């Protein structure tokens, strides 16, 4: 489902109302329109100034802007220095005295105490070494680059050399603001040997989520990893706060609100994209990984070159299920996205063919030009097979305004103008050291980061034994003890024996009470009739063909089953469901409904919950379900190998005195509703509402 579009507007000032008029033809940057703007402003207030650029300096900045930014942080030197220190040190934003300030290097380790200004960093291969250099310099050099020099006046020089003795590559550093750093040695993990200090189980894994002191959520895209001697964690966030937005007033009629102080994570953008692709489509990753697993470790584009031990395929797939179970997608998305927009975002990592863009670095201005750094994936397949496309998008500030906060929808930054960064998501980056509230000491790789709230942690959540009905999600198993388990493997004794499989979550699950979901019994009857129709001709519950289009809305299976089972007529299917018993399990003790024969609507809920797409054929009494069999095969085989629903089973929906509706769920065949004689023999699969 594609996301609906929305645009948030703050109460309009006079200046903003004039800007809104631009889309109706009032506003264009010609002399005539400037004159019109002056007249309008003059008529509204004698105290307001005109929309001219007379008060701009030679670089296109107003006196007001200069006053706000006396140290020219948006200059080339400031941008370059921020890019460096945000990765090599601890720096959320440059201080006012950045030209003369010094920053202590934190990235990497000093392995030879006689050379304290040489720090060692592990990389997977030569491609990652070039990517690391590109991230520090803002360049986009090819992976085959063997040498390069980068110089910025007022900052210094970086010199890249591939294949220097004993290394994958070196980066010589001559930056006046970092006098304690002379060289970065990029080496393979194996070459570090016993000199790497970190050894043990990392506290955080891929996909872990924490919340910082500013209530922003951060996703772990690179854990500390002992075999690679990676001691720090790396985190990304889609949430942009006021401090990350810069307002640039080019004139009294145009202003830019562009991202700043995002951190620089060019090297990590592929980690984020691939991680989200796995979370949105675990089966797609499993197919790529194959039986051998470890797909990314054998491809230079993958998750930092981590090997299988860092996060096996099985754990990555479990991670995806846990994100759904704990509603992590809803937490980490930008504020204001509704359910459809979150789903639209996830779908873009599956099969959407449109470009998907991220704004990964702070914007900058020069004269009348605004520059935004973006990374683009052409379609979902590029997450797995190739490096993304890094592009510096430039726009003329005299012709278009840009506001990263005004229209953040499920398809990213968008707005009334067709500027070249439509559908882009802003991404911020920090290391664990930068997130920590304690900047005096590095966080220990095996301990929690100080000053954060743990929202989701894989190692803790995957080992949770049982869940309550309020925590239950589709794919869990309801056990005899009224608890819910992530798989049959957790149901280890008679008290926790499986009784039902959760097939739907939603407050509309059942009309007879305050229930949040539906579960389908493990057991089914042998084939039986819906009704003994020979002895009568009346309809017990009015569901004539005229009401066919309302079948999908039926959610009253409990009351219907009770009526059919107790009205004095012979309804074998309803009676079997109504009297269904699982030894040692009393649903009422746990606040569940009794077992019942589901309606067509509740069967359709189950199909939707299990990943099917519902279609109603116009002018026919038929609902069909696409993609259900494939999703059932995957979901159930993984967690509940003893559960199967491939059968023909009755619903409690009656058509007329002679016919009722059943569901045909068959492997590799059309799954659909069908109308048949009540004397037809079909299974009964009881449901329970919880």
């Amino acid at each position: 489902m594609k996301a609906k579009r929305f645009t948030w507007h703050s109460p309009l000032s006079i200046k903003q109302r004039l800007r809104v008029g631009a889309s109706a033809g009032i506003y264009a940057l010609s002399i005539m329109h400037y004159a019109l703007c002056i007249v309008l402003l003059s008529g509204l207030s004698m105290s307001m100034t005109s929309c001219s650029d007379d008060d701009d300096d030679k670089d296109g900045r107003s006196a007001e802007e200069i006053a706000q930014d006396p140290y020219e942080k948006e200059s080339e030197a400031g941008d370059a220095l921020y890019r460096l220190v945000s990765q090599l040190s601890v720096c959320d934003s440059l201080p006012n005295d950045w030209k003369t300030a010094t920053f202590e290097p934190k990235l990497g380790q000093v392995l030879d105490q006689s050379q304290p200004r040489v720090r060692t960093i592990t990389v997977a291969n030569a491609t990652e070494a070039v990517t690391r250099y590109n991230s520090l310099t803002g360049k986009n050099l090819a992976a085959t680059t063997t040498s390069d020099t980068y110089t910025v006046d007022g900052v210094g020089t970086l010199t890249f050399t591939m294949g220097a003795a004993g290394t994958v590559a070196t980066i010589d550093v001559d930056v006046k603001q970092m006098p304690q750093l002379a060289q970065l040695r990029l080496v393979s993990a194996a070459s570090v040997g016993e000199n790497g200090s970190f050894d043990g189980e990392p506290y955080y894994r891929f996909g872990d989520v924490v919340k910082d002191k500013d209530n922003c959520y951060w996703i772990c895209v690179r854990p500390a990893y002992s075999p690679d001697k990676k001691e720090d964690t790396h985190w990304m966030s889609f949430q942009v706060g006021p401090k990350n937005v810069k307002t640039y007033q080019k004139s009294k009629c145009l202003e830019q609100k562009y991202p700043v102080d995002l951190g620089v994570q060019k090297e990590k953008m592929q980690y984020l994209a691939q991680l989200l692709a796995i979370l949105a489509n675990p089966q797609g990753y499993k197919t790529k990984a194959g039986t051998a697993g470890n797909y990314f470790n054998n491809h230079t584009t993958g998750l930092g070159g981590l090997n299988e031990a860092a996060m096996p395929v099985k754990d990555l797939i479990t991670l995806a299920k846990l994100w759904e179970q704990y509603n992590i997608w809803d937490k980490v998305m930008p504020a204001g996205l509704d359910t459809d927009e979150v789903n639209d975002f996830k779908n873009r990592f599956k099969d959407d063919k449109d470009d998907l863009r991220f704004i990964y670095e702070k914007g900058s201005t020069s004269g009348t030009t605004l520059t935004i750094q973006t990374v683009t994936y052409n379609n979902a397949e590029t997450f797995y097979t190739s490096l993304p496309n890094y592009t510096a998008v430039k726009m003329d500030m005299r012709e278009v305004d840009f506001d990263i906060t005004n229209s953040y929808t499920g398809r990213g930054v968008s707005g009334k103008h067709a500027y070249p960064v439509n559908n882009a998501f802003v991404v911020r980056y920090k290391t664990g050291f930068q997130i920590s509230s304690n900047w005096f000491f590095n966080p220990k790789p095996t301990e929690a980061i100080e000053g954060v709230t743990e929202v989701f942690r894989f190692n803790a959540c995957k080992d949770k034994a049982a869940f309550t009905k309020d925590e239950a999600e589709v794919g869990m198993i309801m056990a005899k003890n009224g608890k819910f388990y992530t798989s049959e493997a957790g149901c280890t004794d008679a008290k926790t024996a499986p009784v039902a499989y959760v097939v739907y979550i939603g407050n509309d699950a059942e009309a007879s009470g305050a229930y949040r979901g539906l579960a389908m019994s493990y057991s089914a009857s042998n084939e039986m009739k819906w009704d003994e129709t020979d002895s009568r001709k009346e309809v017990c519950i009015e569901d004539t063909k005229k009401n066919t289009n309302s079948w999908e809305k039926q959610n009253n299976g409990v009351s219907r089953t009770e009526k059919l089972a107790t009205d004095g007529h012979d309804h074998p299917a309803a009676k079997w469901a109504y009297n269904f018993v699982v030894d040692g399990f009393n649903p009422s003790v746990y606040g569940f409904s009794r077992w019942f024969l589901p309606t067509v609507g509740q069967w359709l809920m189950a199909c939707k919950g299990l990943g099917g797409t519902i279609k109603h054929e116009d002018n026919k009494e038929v609902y069909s379900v696409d993609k259900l069999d494939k999703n059932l095969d995957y979901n159930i085989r993984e967690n509940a190998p003893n559960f199967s629903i491939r059968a023909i089973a009755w619903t409690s929906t009656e058509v007329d005195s002679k016919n009722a509706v059943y569901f045909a769920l068959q492997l590799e065949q059309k799954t659909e509703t069908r109308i048949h004689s009540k004397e037809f023999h079909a299974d009964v699969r009881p449901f329970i509402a919880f």
Side-chain angles (χ1 to χ4, degrees):
M1 178 182 294
K2 297 299 182 185
K4 64 180 182 182
R5 304 292 186 262
F6 70 90
T7 303
W8 175 86
H9 296 287
S10 62
L12 295 178
S13 65
I14 293 173
K15 176 177 62 179
Q16 289 169 320
R17 290 181 189 275
L18 289 174
R19 190 182 307 122
V20 170
S23 62
I26 293 176
Y27 170 67
L29 290 177
S30 65
I31 297 175
M32 179 179 67
H33 288 86
Y34 266 109
L36 176 59
C37 188
I38 294 171
V39 170
L40 288 172
L41 286 170
S42 299
L44 291 169
S45 172
M46 294 299 293
S47 62
M48 297 181 68
T49 58
S50 72
C51 296
S52 72
D53 292 335
D54 292 343
D55 54 351
D56 293 345
D57 72 352
K58 64 181 181 180
D59 293 324
R61 293 175 298 141
S62 65
E64 183 180 5
E65 174 72 10
I66 295 173
Q68 292 175 355
D69 199 3
Y71 291 92
E72 300 182 7
K73 295 180 185 177
E74 304 304 319
S75 66
E76 181 185 2
D79 285 345
L81 181 62
Y82 177 77
R83 186 185 299 112
L84 289 171
V85 299
S86 66
Q87 298 178 80
L88 300 177
S89 184
V90 178
C91 179
D92 270 359
S93 60
L94 292 182
N96 286 342
D97 63 345
W98 63 268
K99 289 185 177 180
T100 57
T102 59
F103 301 87
E104 180 184 355
K106 293 291 185 181
L107 184 67
Q109 304 172 66
V110 176
L111 300 183
D112 183 350
Q113 297 305 317
S114 68
Q115 301 184 67
R117 297 172 66 231
V118 176
R119 303 183 73 88
T120 299
I121 305 168
T122 59
V123 292
N125 47 40
T127 298
E128 187 178 341
V130 175
T131 303
R132 168 76 72 170
Y133 178 71
N134 283 338
S135 188
L136 291 171
T137 61
K139 292 188 174 186
N140 194 24
L141 301 176
T144 55
T145 300
T146 58
S147 63
D148 187 72
T149 299
Y150 171 72
T151 301
V152 176
D153 292 343
V155 176
T157 300
L158 300 183
T159 303
F160 177 80
T161 305
M162 184 69 75
T167 70
V168 176
T170 58
I171 302 175
D172 293 315
V173 181
D174 182 13
V175 174
K176 71 175 185 178
Q177 289 89 348
M178 300 194 78
Q180 295 173 285
L181 180 63
Q183 187 181 74
L184 294 171
R185 290 171 54 84
L186 311 182
V187 303
S188 65
S191 68
V192 177
E194 298 299 321
N195 290 321
S197 59
F198 170 43
D199 185 21
E201 178 74 13
Y203 187 84
Y204 295 107
R205 291 279 192 174
F206 285 115
D208 286 359
V209 176
V210 299
K211 184 168 65 173
D212 67 13
K213 58 183 175 57
D214 297 322
N215 292 322
C216 289
Y217 292 91
W218 295 85
I219 307 166
C220 181
V221 297
R222 186 63 163 83
Y225 185 52
S226 178
D228 281 357
K229 312 304 178 185
K230 303 282 189 181
E231 302 209 9
D232 205 350
T233 49
H234 300 265
W235 303 78
M236 290 186 177
S237 175
F238 291 107
Q239 296 171 347
V240 178
K243 65 173 290 185
N244 303 111
V245 179
K246 182 77 171 178
T247 300
Y248 185 105
Q249 192 82 37
K250 168 58 191 162
S251 71
K252 297 302 183 291
C253 292
L254 272 178
E255 68 179 19
Q256 316 295 322
K257 289 187 177 179
Y258 58 90
V260 295
D261 297 343
L262 302 181
V264 179
Q265 68 285 339
K266 189 171 186 178
E267 178 195 1
K268 306 297 186 298
M269 284 306 305
Q270 188 74 356
Y271 307 172
L272 174 67
Q274 289 179 334
L275 176 60
L276 293 178
I278 292 170
L279 294 172
N281 187 12
Q283 181 60 37
Y285 170 65
K286 186 176 182 180
T287 300
K288 283 288 182 184
T291 56
N294 196 19
Y295 175 79
F296 285 143
N297 188 47
N298 297 314
H299 292 72
T300 58
T301 61
L303 293 181
L306 290 177
N307 65 38
E308 171 79 349
M311 200 73 165
V313 174
K314 180 177 180 295
D315 284 354
L316 284 167
I317 292 173
T318 300
L319 171 65
K321 294 178 180 178
L322 290 172
W323 261 52
E324 296 288 347
Q325 176 182 311
Y326 285 94
N327 298 315
I328 301 302
W329 285 101
D330 296 317
K331 293 181 173 64
V332 302
M333 292 293 95
L337 267 63
D338 63 19
T339 301
D340 284 347
E341 288 163 338
V342 173
N343 288 334
D344 180 64
F345 180 83
K346 288 190 287 186
N347 287 336
R348 304 205 67 185
F349 291 91
K350 294 181 181 179
D351 53 11
D352 200 315
K353 300 304 181 184
D354 294 338
D355 287 351
L356 180 59
R357 297 180 181 86
F358 297 99
I359 297 172
Y360 70 93
E361 189 174 344
K362 64 187 294 189
S364 61
T365 60
S366 176
T368 60
T369 300
L370 171 65
T371 301
I372 302 291
Q373 302 288 344
T374 67
V375 55
T376 303
Y377 298 86
N378 295 327
N379 54 60
E381 184 66 16
T382 60
F383 295 126
Y384 296 113
T385 58
S386 61
L387 290 169
N389 179 33
Y390 295 93
T391 307
V393 178
K394 298 180 183 293
M395 62 195 76
D396 191 333
M397 294 186 292
R398 295 169 300 181
E399 298 178 357
V400 59
D401 57 356
F402 179 80
D403 187 346
I404 69 165
T405 66
N406 201 36
S407 304
Y408 217 146
T409 71
R411 297 184 75 81
V413 174
S414 188
K416 62 185 179 181
H417 296 293
Y419 44 74
V421 287
N422 264 359
N423 304 332
F425 290 87
V426 181
V427 180
R428 295 165 59 203
Y429 164 82
K430 286 186 179 181
T431 65
F433 185 60
Q434 291 167 331
I435 291 178
S436 175
S437 61
N438 183 353
W439 281 17
F440 293 100
F441 303 96
N442 283 322
K444 294 182 179 179
T446 56
E447 296 180 4
I449 296 173
E450 292 187 51
V452 302
T453 302
E454 289 181 4
V455 177
F456 169 84
R457 193 164 67 87
F458 178 77
N459 283 340
C461 295
K462 73 181 177 66
D463 294 328
K464 187 172 181 179
F467 299 83
T468 68
K469 65 179 181 180
D470 292 330
E471 298 173 316
E473 296 294 339
V474 171
M476 285 189 174
I477 290 99
M478 178 191 292
K480 284 185 178 180
N481 62 359
K483 298 294 182 70
F484 295 80
Y485 297 81
T486 57
S487 70
E488 289 176 358
C491 304
T492 56
D493 54 43
K495 292 181 180 179
T496 61
V499 297
Y501 188 85
V502 178
V503 293
Y504 181 74
I505 295 295
N507 293 331
D508 59 344
E510 167 56 46
S512 65
Y515 300 108
R516 69 177 298 266
L518 297 172
M520 188 185 299
S521 67
Y522 262 66
S523 301
S525 73
N526 292 324
E527 294 183 352
M528 61 176 57
K529 295 180 180 181
W530 194 90
D531 184 22
E532 299 287 356
T533 58
D534 286 342
S535 60
R536 62 179 182 79
K537 299 297 182 183
E538 66 268 35
V539 175
C540 291
I541 299 177
E542 292 186 3
D543 283 320
T544 65
K545 291 185 179 181
K546 296 178 182 177
N547 297 324
T548 301
N549 290 335
S550 68
W551 285 356
E552 189 173 7
K553 300 180 177 64
Q554 290 177 350
N555 64 343
N556 56 341
V558 171
S559 62
R560 297 168 73 90
T561 302
E562 182 176 9
K563 178 175 175 59
L564 291 170
T566 61
D567 70 351
H569 293 133
D570 189 5
H571 299 99
K575 286 183 177 180
W576 198 89
Y578 187 76
N579 295 309
F580 183 66
V581 173
V582 177
D583 291 340
F585 176 61
N586 183 353
S588 64
V589 171
Y590 307 110
F592 302 164
S593 75
R594 71 182 301 150
W595 295 101
F596 65 92
L597 185 63
T599 63
V600 168
Q602 288 167 321
W603 266 111
L604 291 170
M605 288 178 188
C607 291
K608 288 180 181 178
L610 293 169
T613 301
I614 310 301
K615 295 182 178 180
H616 178 250
E617 297 185 22
D618 293 338
N619 302 318
K620 294 183 180 180
E621 301 80 25
V622 176
Y623 289 89
S624 60
V625 186
D626 290 344
K627 300 182 180 179
L628 178 62
D629 293 321
K630 181 179 180 180
N631 289 327
L632 279 178
D633 185 54
Y634 165 65
N635 291 328
I636 293 176
R637 184 185 296 175
E638 291 293 319
N639 287 337
N642 295 313
F643 178 79
S644 175
I645 67 170
R646 297 186 188 101
I648 295 175
W650 283 118
T651 75
S652 56
T653 298
E654 185 179 24
V655 177
D656 53 34
S657 61
K658 293 185 178 181
N659 297 284
V661 182
Y662 70 85
F663 240 90
L665 299 101
Q666 302 179 45
L667 183 62
E668 297 179 355
Q669 296 182 30
K670 193 75 168 180
T671 296
E672 61 186 6
T673 58
R674 295 180 184 173
I675 296 173
H676 212 291
S677 165
K678 295 176 182 177
E679 294 187 289
F680 178 70
H681 286 74
D683 284 349
V684 176
R685 178 64 70 122
F687 277 38
I688 194 168
F690 61 87

